[in-house]
Amino acid sequence: MVEVDRADEEILGRALRAAQDGDEESFRMLYRDVQPRLIRFAGTIVGGDAEDVTSEAWLQIARDLPSFRGDLDGFRGWTATITRHRALDHLRRRSRRPGSDLPVEELVTMAADGDTELDALDGIATRDALRLIAELPRDQAEAVLLRVVVGLDAKSAGKVLGKRPGAVRTASYRGLKRLAERLTPPCAPGEDATPGVPPFAQSDKSGGTGAEEVT
Amino acid sequence: MSDQHQAGGFDERAAERLLDGAGGDVRLRALLTAAAAPARPGELAGEDAAVAAFLAAPRPARRSRAAALRRFLTIKALAVVGGSLILTGGAAFATITGQLPGGGRDTAPSPSPTINKREGTRGDATPATRLEPPAPVPTESRKPSPTHSTKRNGRDGAPGQQKKTKGPKLRPTRLPQSPPRGPGDNGKPPDAGTGHTTTSGGGLGGAPGGGMGGGAVGGGTGGGEGTDPPTTSGSGNQD
């Protein structure tokens, strides 16, 4: 998703303008490109309620699209900002309803149960990867998701998060570092991480470079 | 899990490279690739709902832009006609009285769109505002949709529409001639023409538009004769 080739980006850029002029097909194209990014990003904040949050976000995106000014990257950042605001609203609402508060991992698991079959091939890796990222401290998870999944650079990600680019770089660096640790837990620092790790770690070449030196 | 553990070659720069999809730990890179993998169908479940919202949403930006342009031109055209008529009267009056409407220059621009566009509440704007309602017709804005038009196309399309709207709303005979700059200049040409010679009554409508240069020349001479007294009937009406 990150490495979309340039031709696709150009097509999407045109679709963005056409959608702003009201073209439905172009809007669908944009949706299919952006929604997976948004729902994964939202998942790091609200867990299993990501779909609700993105639905709300899309209402706003659809409404305000004609007045949006910017290119495709700007559009992704803009949609991510909207999604984040909806997600934070959602958290606030949820915190007012005690009892429905479940840890993120559980929510992610619950959400993931629904599409197990779809995940059968490569989805498992995606789900586990997202879960690992979601287990990071939220600022790190958000930074990593915005950069890796939404596809923003540090500056745009900083705009979404209301932070300086440097802070985003640091957060994503720390997040990645922690992820690397989790991938090969030397002395099992994260107990809850282990169930998610083995299938994923096995699926990759096991000759870790950086992480092996940790002992 | 302290940060020093992983220090083996993994610094912020390496992280940046990794985020760009290059270098770094193989598994970590695989994890990031997996996280960014293409959409799974379940993730797109809300597509139709989003599209419904999209179709239901008004297109305020485009519409208002088009409407503003249309309104602008409508008012402009009105101002040209109205201004010409008023000035004709004023000029005729002035001719009789021996005063030439130098003040006409000030008065003519006043009903011009600059005022009406910002707020159509000025007294003289009422005839113009009466014509505005057709502007927000929603179907107009949807028209360009199938053409995948870029912004550039949209802009090109807009002027075309304005000409259309201009025509039917106002007397089509003279208006097509009048370009946007009409009101500013029409103070000169019309009154100059009529004030100067009686024959130029026919040139009234044409003068604001096509005859910009010629009219200005005429205005120069005409105005020169007795511009000073600004008491035209036109000025009284306008302000």
Side-chain angles (χ1 to χ4, degrees), chain B residues 15-233:
Chain B
E16 286 298 310
R17 274 205 307 277
L18 192 54
L19 290 168
D20 290 337
D25 181 288
V26 178
R27 281 160 303 168
L28 191 48
R29 205 168 62 220
L31 181 143
L32 298 182
T33 308
R40 292 170 289 161
E43 292 177 322
L44 300 173
E47 178 172 335
D48 287 334
V51 169
F54 172 72
L55 293 176
R59 317 244 96 75
R62 276 194 69 75
R63 185 188 305 169
S64 69
R65 213 188 310 152
L69 276 169
R70 238 175 290 142
R71 203 178 308 146
F72 183 74
L73 277 218
T74 304
I75 290 164
K76 214 151 229 188
L78 261 190
V80 169
V81 171
S84 318
L85 288 176
I86 288 164
L87 287 169
T88 315
F93 179 75
T95 324
I96 293 163
T97 340
Q99 296 170 333
L100 271 176
R105 280 179 204 162
D106 303 329
T107 57
S110 68
S112 76
T114 45
I115 292 164
N116 296 337
K117 206 175 60 169
R118 277 166 205 156
E119 38 184 19
T121 48
R122 274 290 187 93
D124 59 24
T126 37
T129 40
R130 226 180 289 142
L131 289 179
E132 283 173 42
V137 172
T139 48
E140 285 268 86
S141 59
R142 288 282 168 104
K143 264 190 222 159
S145 58
T147 59
H148 290 257
S149 59
T150 59
K151 282 171 194 166
R152 207 175 292 147
N153 287 338
R155 269 181 217 138
D156 290 344
Q161 294 173 352
Q162 294 141 17
K163 272 170 200 162
K164 267 178 234 154
T165 53
K166 211 189 350 177
K169 269 176 213 159
L170 306 156
R171 286 167 232 163
T173 48
R174 299 159 185 187
L175 291 175
Q177 286 283 339
S178 62
R181 226 161 295 145
D185 303 283
N186 77 344
K188 293 176 199 167
D191 67 36
T194 40
H196 207 42
T197 52
T198 36
T199 50
S200 55
L204 235 191
M212 200 125 284
V217 173
T221 49
E225 286 176 330
T227 336
D228 308 321
T231 53
T232 359
S233 61

